Amino acid sequence: MKYFIYILIIIAAGLLIYNATHLDFDNLLVGNSKTALIGVLASGCVILLMSILLVSKSILKKKKRK
C-alpha cells in the first residue's frame, strides 16, 4: 500500500508539472488554461491527501507498537 501511495504522488506531481506548462497567466480562466488550472489544483489536492495518509499510517503504526 505504501508503494502505491508513492506511485500516486509521483503521477500527481507529473500531472501538476504538465498542467503548469499549459497555464497562460494573462488569461488564467479562459479556454485550455482553465482546464490546466483545474488539473493543477486537483494534482495538488492528491499530493496533499496522500501525504496526510502516509503520516496517519505512520502514527497508527507507532501507536500499535506501544
Side-chain angles (χ1 to χ4, degrees):
M1 181 76 172
K2 187 176 186 180
Y3 296 114
F4 180 67
I5 293 171
Y6 285 128
I7 290 170
L8 284 177
I9 290 173
I10 291 169
I11 291 171
L15 286 172
L16 188 136
I17 292 168
Y18 175 76
N19 284 321
T21 61
H22 285 81
L23 288 175
D24 178 20
F25 292 105
D26 293 331
N27 296 319
L28 202 56
L29 297 175
V30 178
N32 287 338
S33 185
K34 182 178 180 179
T35 306
L37 181 63
I38 292 170
V40 166
L41 292 175
S43 298
C45 288
V46 168
I47 292 170
L48 179 66
L49 289 173
M50 291 299 114
S51 300
I52 291 170
L53 182 62
L54 281 173
V55 170
S56 68
K57 285 196 175 284
S58 69
I59 290 171
L60 183 65
K61 186 185 282 186
K62 287 180 183 179
K63 186 178 177 183
K64 283 186 177 181
R65 265 193 251 158
K66 288 185 177 183

